[in-house]
Amino acid sequence: MTIAGGIILIMLGAILTWAVEFDLAGLDINVIGVVLMIGGLAGLLFGLYRMHVTRRVIQEPIYEDPHARRTTTVYEERRRIDEPPL
């Protein structure tokens, strides 16, 4: 679940909990709203944790010496259409 998905679930749960005045037989809308908010909060925290772990892994240095990096240049030859493949 992404961070945006967690925020959407929290907003939907808050709307169902505090803004909706609708009764269904055997179904409590307020409880459904609270469950959605808790699930959205858990998803939001999990998304933030994943983002933190990913940034920590990406920011680790790959090369100790910045001058030790090698660059490779690839040149493509243009071939005519009527030439047979190699």
Side-chain angles (χ1 to χ4, degrees):
M1 176 180 290
T2 63
I3 295 172
I7 292 172
I8 289 172
L9 281 179
I10 291 171
M11 290 182 348
L12 183 62
I15 289 170
L16 287 178
T17 301
W18 291 299
V20 174
E21 304 259 344
F22 188 71
D23 293 327
L24 291 173
L27 193 63
D28 191 3
I29 298 293
N30 293 333
V31 173
I32 293 173
V34 171
V35 168
L36 285 176
M37 284 193 291
I38 292 171
L41 181 64
L44 178 66
L45 292 176
F46 181 69
L48 290 173
Y49 170 74
R50 282 184 46 201
M51 184 176 67
H52 173 71
V53 169
T54 304
R55 282 188 179 179
R56 188 176 67 205
V57 169
I58 290 174
Q59 290 178 353
E60 290 180 0
I62 297 173
Y63 300 103
E64 293 179 9
D65 183 16
H67 300 291
R69 296 181 184 177
R70 297 181 183 174
T71 58
T72 303
T73 306
V74 177
Y75 296 100
E76 292 184 15
E77 294 181 18
R78 294 189 181 248
R79 298 178 53 84
R80 293 188 348 194
I81 296 174
D82 58 346
E83 291 181 10
L86 295 176

